[in-house]
Amino acid sequence: MCVTAAIAFGMRITTGVLLLALVGCETGSSAPPTDPLTNPPAGIALAASRTAVPTPRGWNAIVDVSVTRTGSFTGAVALSIEGLPPGVTASFAAASLAALATNTRLNIEVDSGAAFGTYPLTIRGTGTGVNAASVAISLIVPRPEFQLQIAPTVAYRTVPFLGLTATISVAASRGLGFSFPVSLNVDVLPTGVTLGGSLTIGPEQNTTAVILLIGPTATAGSYPIVIRATAPEADPRSGSVSVVIPGP
């Protein structure tokens, strides 16, 4: 940019003499633009080892958190977590990462009374002189779940003092965090048939046997036996198998 000033010296009407003087001329240029690839701005970025965190009641989960510093920023980064529902607590192994520290662990603990559901959580990092950074994760508190398997083959045998028996093998496969007993019920039995075996799969068991006592008054034929299973806070399950009562 050039600045020109005109100064009149000894200006006379009679002579019309005018002297102009150039008093300032300056040429300037702005600084070249910053290349974000070779010279990124000062800042921080966060990353989590997983974004979906299934954690049943009474369990805890670990999430690794890493911090990346960019540009000229080399300071400490303070970490916090937002969005925890009632019955869930969380803590960092190191809630403030010093200049050379880049990693820490987040421990999430779910109380036995926490409500089932999926909860969005935000891990946030802040540092002096830079914008805050965040990463989102989802905490999943699953409803207890199990599956019921009923063996398709029924074992028949004659037991002294009991007569003919039909044994049905029943198994329950439990989902993550499921530790409840599974209670069994049998729908309407044929006339002359009674229950003679266990109707519970205990917390430490996977299988049990439902034994049917086939009395002398039972009518010969093939009968569908429906077994229903229930457990606390879980959806019920059911299955069926055919029991054959032989003729005389």
Side-chain angles (χ1 to χ4, degrees):
M1 175 180 179
C2 291
V3 179
T4 304
I7 305 176
F9 292 95
M11 184 175 183
R12 298 177 182 272
I13 298 176
T14 56
T15 60
V17 178
L18 179 64
L19 178 63
L20 297 178
L22 182 64
V23 298
C25 184
E26 178 182 356
T27 301
S29 62
S30 60
T34 300
D35 186 344
L37 297 178
T38 60
N39 188 22
I44 55 177
L46 299 183
S49 59
R50 49 182 176 154
T51 55
V53 189
T55 313
R57 286 173 165 180
W59 286 42
N60 74 303
I62 298 294
V63 179
D64 291 318
V65 180
S66 60
V67 175
T68 302
R69 297 170 176 82
T70 60
S72 60
F73 180 71
T74 59
V77 175
L79 299 172
S80 60
I81 185 166
E82 304 166 2
L84 294 173
V88 178
T89 58
S91 60
F92 293 93
S96 180
L97 296 178
L100 298 179
T102 58
N103 295 278
T104 188
R105 282 191 162 185
L106 173 66
N107 181 44
I108 301 174
E109 295 185 357
V110 178
D111 186 79
S112 59
F116 305 122
T118 299
Y119 303 95
L121 307 181
T122 300
I123 302 172
R124 194 172 303 280
T126 57
T128 302
V130 294
N131 292 330
S134 64
V135 61
I137 63 174
S138 293
L139 171 67
I140 304 167
V141 182
R143 181 178 295 278
E145 185 175 292
F146 72 98
Q147 299 297 326
L148 186 70
Q149 292 90 33
I150 299 176
T153 302
V154 179
Y156 300 92
R157 69 190 184 111
T158 301
V159 179
F161 307 108
L162 293 179
L164 181 64
T165 65
T167 301
I168 305 170
S169 294
V170 181
S173 58
R174 296 169 169 83
L176 185 66
F178 188 100
S179 59
F180 302 104
V182 176
S183 299
L184 305 176
N185 288 297
V186 179
D187 276 4
V188 179
L189 291 171
T191 301
V193 177
T194 58
L195 289 171
S198 172
L199 289 180
T200 300
I201 302 176
E204 305 300 325
Q205 296 176 301
N206 294 320
T207 61
T208 191
V210 175
I211 300 175
L212 304 182
L213 306 179
I214 302 174
T217 61
T219 302
S222 179
Y223 299 89
I225 302 298
V226 178
I227 298 176
R228 303 188 185 278
T230 58
E233 300 174 338
D235 294 331
R237 297 285 186 263
S238 65
S240 63
V241 65
S242 295
V243 171
V244 177
I245 299 176

